[in-house]
């Protein structure tokens, strides 16, 4: 009874919560000017009531687009609680969907020579270092990182969130590797591999394999994406 | 026209001042006109190591601000006529020495001396930038410790950013028996990381400490291994090809036995 009363209350008014589907999840646009409690109520109705059948199934990323609205800590908690109770949606961002990836291949950045402590390469695309990357040096790439030499510093591939990125090095001894949002630090000692290795993401785990597996990794991930 | 060599390391306490004093003195020993320049404003040490502390009247900041002429601030060494020291200021602010003033001083010194050895302060801030300005080449001092090698690497990167030719590396305070046991980074590891040409290796030697306290550069003592190492470094700076010294301890049990038997 109470539920139907609520839905009639929101009827005739404009949508306070607009749901849009994007490639890798859903965007929830919250009306900027409506009282937050009304927005929450409508969100709860949609998630747990009217749209429930649409949302069941596999886990999806939810991107909340709050517009100009400032969320207090409690408001954010309340918001997250609703998503948590729904179960299938993971709140992945409060500032709208991630920027669309430009699928045109970007130019790689090639650095020739030793990258030393305190030096940073930050590039939107792949980064290739022909030389060593010393401890204290840092590479941040939105694409892959390839080091033709010793990788002893830190490397971050897929800095824009691309989980398919890899970090590869002739001698793979990094202090820290990140791929998208996953961080792994070095083991206490490296056993020196005889050949070039690369790090990639297997779900939420980082794995290191010899270079010859890279092609298979690429194939597998690409085909699994085609299914989605 | 002389050559200005800056001795730097990033990390403190690895032996920049000791190396500056010894390389400078060794060059003087080989007959070159040498000026040692201490740029560590506020924490000057080079004068102490050289035993010239009590002769300071003017310092580099006085020269920079025009309070005295360059020649007035140069202190002649006790042992060599052709070796002088331009001391740092102890009481002034470290910003008192500007890049421009330093460039002028080094240019003037280069007209008078064969080699100008510049002792750089620790760190990579203002003092470092001042010290490397005007230098023609750089010597990076490190010790076989991870932290020192890290800092050396950082400094080499910064040196690459200015127009200097690739720096040369001095590895100081090597303890051969620790390297042998794998407790200390070995020379190949360090050169591998820093990828620089090696100018010299200096074994850890008690003489160095004793000499520094007496205000007498180690290099003047012919019986010390560190002394020999610094003489070799000076010869390499002059362009001689001198093989790296063998760091094996020669005080092994059998050798001592043989000596004893030989004596008998």
């Amino acid at each position: 009874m109470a539920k139907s009363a609520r839905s009639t209350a929101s009827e005739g008014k404009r949508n306070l919560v607009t749901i849009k589907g994007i490639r890798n999840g859903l965007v929830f646009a919250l009306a900027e000017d409506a009282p937050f409690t009304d927005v929450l109520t409508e969100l709860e109705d949609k998630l747990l009531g009217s749209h429930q059948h649409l949302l069941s199934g596999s886990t999806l990323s939810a991107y909340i687009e709050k517009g100009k609205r400032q969320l207090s800590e409690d408001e954010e908690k309340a918001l997250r609680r609703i998503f948590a109770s729904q179960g299938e949606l993971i709140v992945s961002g409060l500032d709208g969907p991630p920027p669309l990836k430009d699928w045109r291949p970007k130019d790689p950045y090639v650095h020739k020579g030793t990258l030393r402590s305190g030096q940073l390469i930050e590039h939107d695309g792949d980064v290739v270092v022909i030389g060593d990357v010393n401890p204290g040096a840092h590479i941040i790439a939105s694409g892959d990182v390839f080091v033709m030499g010793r990788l002893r510093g830190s490397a971050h591939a897929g800095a824009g969130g691309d989980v398919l990125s890899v970090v590869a090095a002739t001698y793979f001894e990094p202090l820290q590797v990140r791929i998208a949002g996953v961080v792994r630090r070095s083991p206490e000692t490296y056993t020196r591999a005889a050949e070039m290795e690369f790090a990639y993401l297997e779900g939420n785990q980082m794995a290191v394999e010899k270079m010859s597996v890279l092609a298979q990794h690429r194939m597998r991930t690409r085909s699994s994406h085609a299914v989605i | 026209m002389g050559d200005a060599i800056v001795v730097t390391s990033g990390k403190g306490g690895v032996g920049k001042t000791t190396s500056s004093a010894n390389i400078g003195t060794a060059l003087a020993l080989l007959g070159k006109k040498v000026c040692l320049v201490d740029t560590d404003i506020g924490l000057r040490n080079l004068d102490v190591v050289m035993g010239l502390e009590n002769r300071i009247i003017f310092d580099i900041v006085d020269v920079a601000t025009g309070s005295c002429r360059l020649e007035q601030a140069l202190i002649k060494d006790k042992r060599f006529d052709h070796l002088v020291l331009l001391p740092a200021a102890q009481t002034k602010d470290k910003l008192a020495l500007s890049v421009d003033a330093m460039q002028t001083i080094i240019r003037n010194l280069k007209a008078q001396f064969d080699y100008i050895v510049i002792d750089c302060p620790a760190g990579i801030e203002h003092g470092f930038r001042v010290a490397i300005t005007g230098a023609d080449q750089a010597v990076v001092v490190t010790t076989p410790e991870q932290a020192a090698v890290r800092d050396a690497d950082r400094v080499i990167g910064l040196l690459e950013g200015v127009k200097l030719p690739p720096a040369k590396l001095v590895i100081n305070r090597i303890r051969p028996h620790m390297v042998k046991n794998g407790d200390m980074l070995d020379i190949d590891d360090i050169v591998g990381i820093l990828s620089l040409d090696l100018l010299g290796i200096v074994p850890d030697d008690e003489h160095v400490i004793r000499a520094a306290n007496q205000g007498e550069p180690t290099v003047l003592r012919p019986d010390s291994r560190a002394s020999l190492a610094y003489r070799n470094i000076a010869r390499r700076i002059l362009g001689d090809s001198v093989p790296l010294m063998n760091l094996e301890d020669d005080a092994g049990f059998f050798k001592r036995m043989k000596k004893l038997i030989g004596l008998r």
Side-chain angles (χ1 to χ4, degrees):
Chain A
M1 188 64 200
K3 199 176 174 186
S4 71
R6 245 191 266 157
S7 47
T8 42
S10 60
E11 242 162 50
K13 283 203 278 175
R14 65 201 172 84
N15 258 338
L16 297 182
V17 177
T18 317
I19 305 176
K20 288 180 282 190
I22 56 168
R23 195 176 59 88
N24 47 359
L26 294 173
V27 177
F28 292 79
L30 310 183
E32 282 172 10
D33 40 7
F36 188 68
T37 43
D38 292 0
V39 173
L40 269 191
T41 315
E42 184 166 333
L43 179 68
E44 203 168 359
D45 280 351
K46 283 191 169 166
L47 279 185
L48 306 174
S50 53
H51 293 62
Q52 199 178 13
H53 58 286
L54 290 176
L55 300 172
S56 56
S58 64
T59 313
L60 280 174
S61 294
Y63 300 95
I64 294 156
E65 205 173 85
K66 60 179 162 59
K68 292 197 188 76
R69 185 194 291 280
Q70 297 288 324
L71 290 183
S72 73
E73 216 169 285
D74 287 342
E75 287 172 338
E76 192 184 319
K77 261 187 208 155
L79 197 61
R80 286 183 185 274
R81 203 175 302 125
I82 293 174
F83 278 97
S85 62
Q86 197 275 338
E88 306 286 358
L89 287 166
I90 295 158
V91 180
S92 306
L94 289 172
D95 296 300
L100 272 180
K101 283 274 158 43
D102 187 358
W103 288 101
R104 185 172 50 82
K106 289 172 188 132
D107 288 336
Y109 178 84
V110 180
H111 176 90
K112 290 172 186 166
T114 309
L115 195 67
R116 296 184 183 278
S117 176
Q119 295 178 332
L120 165 74
I121 293 178
E122 200 170 0
H123 178 64
D124 187 11
D126 297 347
V127 171
V128 179
V129 176
I130 301 169
D132 294 350
V133 177
N134 281 354
H138 214 104
I139 300 172
I140 301 173
S142 64
D144 300 332
V145 175
F146 295 103
V147 178
M148 306 291 148
R150 223 172 270 282
L151 172 57
R152 290 179 171 173
S154 307
H156 188 177
D162 182 3
V163 293
L164 300 186
S165 314
V166 300
V167 174
T170 315
Y171 294 100
F172 191 83
E173 301 162 7
L175 277 181
Q176 198 182 78
V177 174
R178 297 189 200 190
I179 295 175
V182 181
V183 188
R184 205 178 93 166
R185 64 187 159 73
S186 65
E188 288 309 308
T189 50
Y190 280 104
T191 48
R192 180 153 304 166
E195 52 188 312
M196 194 163 174
E197 292 177 308
F198 74 104
Y200 61 98
L201 282 188
E202 185 88 67
N204 270 333
Q205 293 288 309
M206 203 177 288
V208 177
E209 263 296 356
K210 49 184 194 279
M211 208 59 189
S212 50
V213 186
L214 180 63
Q216 291 169 32
H217 166 70
R218 282 285 149 84
M219 293 277 256
R220 192 178 57 212
T221 44
R222 206 170 288 147
S223 59
S224 67
H225 250 243
V227 174
I228 292 170
Chain B
M1 199 64 175
D3 224 0
I5 304 169
V6 61
V7 178
T8 182
S9 72
K11 191 174 179 300
V14 298
K16 278 183 300 297
T17 301
T18 310
S19 295
S20 303
N22 281 300
I23 291 171
T25 309
L27 286 168
L29 211 56
L30 292 164
K32 298 292 169 188
K33 279 190 80 177
V34 179
C35 178
L36 296 167
V37 181
D38 191 349
T39 60
D40 201 348
I41 313 292
L43 289 170
R44 71 174 178 214
N45 289 143
L46 193 52
D47 52 322
V48 181
V49 174
M50 293 298 292
L52 301 171
E53 195 178 9
N54 55 1
R55 304 180 188 208
I56 297 174
I57 297 164
F58 296 111
D59 56 52
I60 193 168
V61 173
D62 291 324
V63 179
T65 53
S67 309
C68 74
R69 284 178 294 112
L70 177 60
E71 287 69 25
Q72 289 177 294
L74 298 179
I75 303 165
K76 199 169 278 179
D77 185 65
K78 298 177 200 170
R79 293 138 294 222
F80 300 96
D81 278 345
H82 52 280
L83 174 63
V84 303
L85 168 72
L86 178 56
Q90 186 70 322
T91 50
K92 284 147 196 151
D93 188 77
K94 57 174 146 183
L95 297 174
L97 188 56
S98 71
V99 167
D100 288 346
M102 182 68 179
Q103 264 168 354
T104 312
I105 292 171
I106 298 298
R107 202 181 314 123
N108 291 335
L109 286 173
K110 276 165 73 172
Q112 304 174 39
F113 294 91
D114 297 324
Y115 286 97
I116 294 102
V117 179
I118 305 161
D119 184 21
C120 179
I124 51 173
E125 298 84 25
H126 177 78
F128 169 77
R129 286 196 298 274
V130 168
I132 63 170
T133 186
D136 302 303
Q137 46 177 309
V139 170
V140 173
V141 181
T142 190
T143 58
E145 294 160 65
Q146 290 286 11
V149 173
R150 262 341 117 79
D151 291 1
D153 192 42
R154 179 88 173 92
V155 158
I156 296 161
L158 294 173
L159 289 169
E160 282 171 352
V162 295
K163 77 275 165 245
L164 290 175
K168 299 273 174 59
L169 185 66
V170 169
I171 305 176
N172 196 11
R173 266 197 236 135
I174 298 169
R175 297 188 187 187
H177 64 280
M178 286 187 75
V179 174
K180 215 171 172 182
N181 299 340
D183 297 329
M184 201 173 233
L185 288 172
D186 78 18
I187 294 156
D188 290 343
D189 288 343
I190 298 170
V191 175
I193 291 176
L194 299 178
S195 52
L196 283 190
D197 284 347
L198 199 53
L199 184 62
I201 51 175
V202 183
D204 199 26
D205 189 338
E206 286 178 8
H207 279 301
V208 176
I209 301 166
R210 210 172 299 140
N213 286 336
Q214 290 165 357
E216 179 114 332
T218 321
V219 86
L220 295 171
R221 303 180 65 115
D223 55 337
S224 130
R225 288 165 66 73
S227 162
L228 181 62
Y230 279 118
R231 285 170 196 228
N232 287 348
I233 288 171
R235 285 174 61 194
R236 290 188 196 107
I237 289 174
L238 297 185
D240 291 2
S241 77
V242 186
L244 282 183
M245 66 192 284
N246 183 12
L247 286 177
E248 291 292 301
D249 286 321
D250 55 8
F253 177 70
F254 277 105
K255 278 191 181 155
R256 255 183 286 167
M257 282 298 283
K258 272 183 202 157
K259 246 186 197 168
L260 278 174
I261 296 162
L263 278 175
R264 271 178 199 169

